[in-house]
Amino acid sequence: MGCSNSKKDGSRDDLYHAFREFDRNKDGYITIDELRRTMKKLNENITEGELSEMMREADQDGDGRVNFREFAKIIRGEDITTDSYNHTVTDTGPRCLMDVFQDMDADGNGYITIDELRQALTRVPDTYTDADIETMMREADIDGDGMVNYVEFLRVTRRQ
C-alpha cells in the first residue's frame, strides 16, 4: 500500500487508519462502545458524559454511529467525501506514516514489538543503545501491552 504524492492525501491515509483503529469490528462505523474501548486502551480517562458529548458532536446524521466522513470532519475540521479518499500509489511521493509503520511491523500483525523497533533502527544512520530503544518503546506504548499499534505510533510521531 502506498501514499499519493500530496501531503494532504497522506494525511487522509493516516486519518483513515486512525479511524480503523477506533472501528474495532471493522463495519465502517464507530459506536459509543468502540469509542469507550479505544479511549480506555489509550489510557484516556473520560467520563460517560464526555463520551456521549463526543458522539453527539461527531454523529452529524444522528444514526448513533460515526462514519469516516464524520470522523474526518471532527478531527480535521473539514468535510471529506469518501469518493475523494483514495490510495494512489506513486514511486516519487513522500512515504506516509502508514508505510513507515508497515515497514517497522516486520511480521505484519499490526503491532511493532521492541525487537521490530530494534531491527528498524539498524537501518538508520544514528546509533541507539538498548536503553534508548526501551525508552522509545515505553513512551510509545500508551496502553502498556508491550507493543505499539498504529494509533500509538501516530501519537508519538505527531509529537515530534
Side-chain angles (χ1 to χ4, degrees):
M1 176 165 157
C3 291
S4 78
N5 58 4
S6 100
K7 185 173 179 136
K8 189 173 181 181
D9 287 342
S11 164
R12 271 191 206 143
D13 196 47
D14 296 339
L15 188 63
Y16 177 75
H17 290 286
F19 173 80
R20 297 296 286 170
E21 275 296 318
F22 280 85
D23 179 19
R24 312 288 282 177
N25 66 358
K26 308 301 182 221
D27 67 352
Y29 299 96
I30 300 169
T31 65
I32 195 163
D33 291 331
E34 289 170 321
L35 178 61
R36 181 183 301 110
R37 281 192 304 248
T38 303
M39 298 305 275
K40 184 176 180 180
K41 185 177 179 184
L42 294 173
N43 289 327
E44 296 289 338
N45 296 323
I46 61 175
T47 67
E48 285 298 313
E50 291 169 324
L51 277 173
S52 295
E53 181 62 26
M54 289 171 74
M55 284 299 288
R56 234 184 336 275
E57 287 179 26
D59 181 21
Q60 297 170 354
D61 63 9
D63 67 355
R65 308 174 301 177
V66 176
N67 62 35
F68 176 66
R69 182 175 176 203
E70 292 166 329
F71 180 81
K73 189 163 188 166
I74 202 79
I75 298 298
R76 290 183 56 189
E78 65 182 64
D79 200 3
I80 294 177
T81 63
T82 50
D83 290 344
S84 69
Y85 178 76
N86 60 44
H87 294 286
T88 307
V89 178
T90 68
D91 294 329
T92 58
R95 296 182 59 204
C96 71
L97 290 174
M98 186 54 154
D99 287 342
V100 174
F101 180 84
Q102 288 174 335
D103 284 349
M104 294 175 76
D105 177 20
D107 63 8
N109 69 349
Y111 299 93
I112 298 170
T113 64
I114 194 162
D115 291 333
E116 289 170 326
L117 176 60
R118 186 175 288 114
Q119 180 63 35
L121 291 173
T122 65
R123 299 187 299 255
V124 298
D126 298 327
T127 304
Y128 295 95
T129 66
D130 281 341
D132 293 333
I133 294 169
E134 288 169 9
T135 299
M136 286 180 204
M137 206 52 193
R138 206 173 25 259
E139 290 176 2
D141 182 19
I142 296 164
D143 63 11
D145 66 357
M147 301 177 289
V148 176
N149 63 38
Y150 188 66
V151 170
E152 292 168 325
F153 180 78
L154 284 178
R155 288 180 70 161
V156 169
T157 56
R158 297 287 190 225
R159 282 190 262 166
Q160 306 299 321

